[in-house]
Amino acid sequence: MKKTKNSIIAIILSIILVIFIWHKFLVSGNSVIFILLFAGFYYFLAEELKNLNKRKCIVSLIIAVIFGFIEIICSSINIDYTLGNIIDKWNIINFMGYTILAWSIILKIYSMTENYKQCDEQEIKIGRVRILSNNKVSFLINMLLILIAWLPYFLRYYPGLLTADSCAQVTQAIGNSRLTSHHPVFHTSIISIFINIGVFIFNNINTGVALYTIFQMILLATMFSGVLQYLSKRKTPLSIKLIILVFYMFYPINGLFSVTMWKDVLFAGIIPIFLTLCSELIFNTDEFFKEKKNIIIYIVISVFVFLMRNNGMYVVILTMPFIAVVLRKYLTKVIPMFLGIIAMYLIINTALFSILNIQKGSIAEMLSIPLQQIARVQKYHNDELDDETKQEIDKFFNVTNIGEKYNPILSDPVKAELNEMYFNEHKSEFIKLWIKLLKTNFKDYVESFISNSYGYYYPEAKHWVANRTMEKNKLGLEQTPIINGKLVSKVDSLIEKRD
């Protein structure tokens, strides 16, 4: 009876997947293709359903449904930055297709991780050398493989990619403008070291940029290799480690970002290290607390998380209550460790900033979401706003009609026009204005939030890739490619497909 039920479910799900693939990706095609697709889906789903337990089914289905909703909602945003394209007869099939596809993949991953202990071989051996293994030689080889894969990007975009934010940090690094916390001071300090080496030793600021780029590439590859080594320690299946290594090496965005002077790049590298430490803390608690060096490393990495991004502290703080609940039997050890992290944060953000006379960054950086939402309302509903409301909005900005500055995917133009002095004196009025507009423009608020963030969680987002040219500047920074061959251009063209 159960076998028949599973077969019927597999048939229904396979039919939906075939229709989804036909409509979303193929549109037309030979009937043989669809028969083969159906057979493949049926075989795969039937096998997974055989050993499906309730817990695995519910967890994987929740994740898959979330993914399905993200695909449908963000596909509409991706067209014209509104939710107006959601109501479509095909979106029901698309939602079901994305959900079933994601559910199937998640089930397969679960199956692979459950059965990995049955596999003795979890590494690749080339002579005496072991790759993707938990040893120092493997760590170095993985790092070198990643670096070699990224080398064409360095040669193609020499000395590196710099945007407006990057140039602002370089300006602070060479002392042409006051050091502020608008960008992470720690990251600006790292940039300063290499830029000044280039200027004072090589008499060339571009050499300084190149030295920083090399440093960033090595550090990022080291952190990625550290993740692979940890996976080996956890006896992760070889196939999964190999997929991750290939992703690190050949996914174009990784290579592009490795040569981009952004705080986000090193932050993206430190976060997986932080997560591996959290994993070790939770799953190997007794061993973790046996050695004091583990506690020190956890505190140091946590500090680096908030040093690399001003909002990194939120990541660290938000993990604390969850870890405390899971490790409630170890609170006498966990709480002092957390207090140490918080103490370091307070020391750096108060005493150290005061001693170094570091100017606080703009308050506008904390208000990206509400500022964008207000600007969107004025852009698309200005005629519907009464004069009093328009005047209230104008008081908080340095321009009349902030809606004209609104860009759905970039908050900088709006943030730049915030009247900080007026805002600081009328914060409660700003909150009242925001709530007032929310009541009549809820949909616009939602659309504004998704438009400004969907590139972080929607795989097919457009225009979410860093610029591949050097920002125009007066610092003497210029891009001088060392190579510009057909192969590099071909690889680079793959990045365009993400735009």
Side-chain angles (χ1 to χ4, degrees), residues 195-422:
I195 293 296
N196 285 296
I197 288 174
V199 172
F200 293 109
I201 297 180
F202 297 97
N203 197 31
N204 190 323
I205 193 171
N206 289 291
T207 301
V209 173
L211 290 173
Y212 170 82
T213 303
I214 293 170
F215 163 79
Q216 178 172 272
M217 292 173 69
I218 293 173
L219 186 55
L220 192 61
T222 300
M223 290 188 283
F224 285 168
S225 183
V227 172
L228 289 167
Q229 187 173 32
Y230 179 73
L231 293 175
S232 295
K233 179 182 177 181
R234 299 288 297 175
K235 301 187 183 300
T236 304
L238 176 62
S239 55
I240 293 178
K241 290 188 293 185
L242 194 57
I243 290 171
I244 293 172
L245 176 61
V246 171
F247 170 77
Y248 284 155
M249 291 173 64
F250 298 116
Y251 184 53
I253 305 303
N254 291 331
L256 182 73
F257 279 8
S258 73
V259 298
T260 302
M261 187 185 284
W262 272 357
K263 56 186 176 289
D264 309 81
V265 175
L266 292 180
F267 180 75
I270 200 70
I271 283 295
I273 301 299
F274 174 70
L275 292 176
T276 59
L277 287 172
C278 289
S279 172
E280 196 67 11
L281 173 61
I282 292 171
F283 294 107
N284 294 306
T285 311
D286 291 324
E287 291 183 19
F288 183 92
F289 284 115
K290 275 182 182 178
E291 299 188 39
K292 290 184 179 179
K293 71 173 185 178
N294 291 331
I295 299 173
I296 295 171
I297 291 172
Y298 187 91
I299 292 174
V300 169
I301 293 299
S302 298
V303 169
F304 277 134
V305 169
F306 68 72
L307 285 178
M308 291 311 304
R309 266 194 77 94
N310 292 330
N311 57 5
M313 190 58 187
Y314 302 133
V315 176
V316 178
I317 291 293
L318 289 173
T319 61
M320 289 181 177
F322 293 100
I323 293 175
V325 170
V326 174
L327 303 181
R328 51 190 175 275
K329 294 181 180 179
Y330 298 85
L331 287 181
T332 54
K333 296 180 179 180
V334 170
I335 290 179
M337 186 170 67
F338 288 166
L339 290 176
I341 296 169
I342 295 171
M344 290 293 292
Y345 174 76
L346 293 174
I347 291 170
I348 292 171
N349 270 0
T350 54
L352 191 60
F353 274 40
S354 178
I355 293 170
L356 298 176
N357 194 27
I358 297 170
Q359 183 179 341
K360 286 188 176 181
S362 171
I363 188 67
E365 294 302 311
M366 300 175 62
L367 301 170
S368 291
I369 294 173
L371 291 178
Q372 281 286 88
Q373 290 169 331
I374 291 172
R376 184 184 181 97
V377 170
Q378 186 157 40
K379 181 178 179 67
Y380 296 121
H381 304 283
N382 192 47
D383 294 339
E384 302 168 23
L385 299 175
D386 56 53
D387 292 338
E388 182 183 350
T389 302
K390 291 179 183 178
Q391 289 174 8
E392 287 179 35
I393 295 173
D394 290 344
K395 288 178 182 178
F396 287 99
F397 297 96
N398 297 319
V399 296
T400 302
N401 192 352
I402 190 62
E404 294 178 357
K405 298 285 185 178
Y406 177 71
N407 181 333
I409 60 174
L410 184 65
S411 61
D412 288 357
V414 172
K415 290 189 298 184
E417 299 299 339
L418 178 67
N419 186 335
E420 293 190 39
M421 185 178 295
Y422 185 83

Side-chain angles (χ1 to χ4, degrees), residues 149-197:
W150 291 348
L151 183 60
Y153 294 92
F154 176 67
L155 299 176
R156 171 66 179 82
Y157 297 113
Y158 182 90
L161 294 171
L162 279 75
T163 61
D165 283 348
S166 311
C167 291
Q169 285 186 274
V170 172
T171 302
Q172 291 182 27
I174 59 178
N176 282 6
S177 65
R178 185 178 175 182
L179 191 61
T180 74
S181 61
H182 177 81
H183 299 291
V185 175
F186 181 71
H187 184 242
T188 303
S189 300
I190 296 173
I191 293 172
S192 178
I193 294 171
F194 294 100
I195 293 296
N196 285 296
I197 288 174

Side-chain angles (χ1 to χ4, degrees), residues 123-131 133 135 137-138 141:
E123 60 191 19
I124 298 174
K125 290 183 179 178
I126 302 176
R128 295 183 179 182
V129 179
R130 295 182 296 172
I131 303 175
S133 180
N135 62 72
V137 175
S138 176
I141 291 174

